[in-house]
């Protein structure tokens, strides 16, 4: 399992850490979730740079989940992806923004 907050450009570091922790299991048994900073269709290229092995199936959810305020930002960036054969998406919930009273301009 890999938690990710990908850069807005490309992934240039981290693969060695994933390889050393996960070994060859990453090639066919990886789950990665977080802010990929790309829509779902862009995850495969970042996956290759960070994890390698089989590309994931369609990352989910592939819908707007970021950023506040939505009038100024647009992000379809938060996904769970896996290369486990037979794994299936069985639904998801994108929760509304929280703690807006703390700072209504930034999430």
């Amino acid at each position: 399992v890999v938690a990710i907050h990908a850069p807005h450009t490309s992934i240039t570091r981290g693969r060695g850490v994933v390889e050393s922790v996960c070994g060859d299991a990453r090639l066919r048994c990886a789950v990665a979730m977080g802010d990929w900073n790309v829509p779902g269709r862009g995850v495969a290229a970042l996956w290759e740079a960070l994890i390698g092995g089989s590309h994931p199936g369609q990352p989910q959810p592939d819908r707007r989940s970021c950023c506040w305020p939505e009038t100024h930002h647009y992000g379809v960036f938060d996904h769970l992806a896996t290369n486990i054969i037979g794994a299936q998406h069985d639904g998801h919930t994108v929760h509304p923004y929280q703690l807006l009273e703390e700072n209504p301009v930034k999430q």
Side-chain angles (χ1 to χ4, degrees), residues 22-57:
C22 302
D24 287 343
R26 69 185 166 76
L27 302 175
R28 65 191 175 291
C29 191
V31 176
M33 60 185 238
D35 180 355
W36 291 86
N37 272 312
V38 295
R41 67 184 175 276
V43 168
L46 297 175
W47 182 280
E48 178 61 34
L50 182 63
I51 298 169
S54 301
H55 285 179

Side-chain angles (χ1 to χ4, degrees), residues 1-23:
V1 175
V2 176
I4 184 168
H5 187 181
H8 289 268
T9 55
S10 60
I11 294 176
T12 59
R13 296 183 304 173
R15 186 171 179 149
V17 173
V18 173
E19 288 176 352
S20 69
V21 171
C22 302

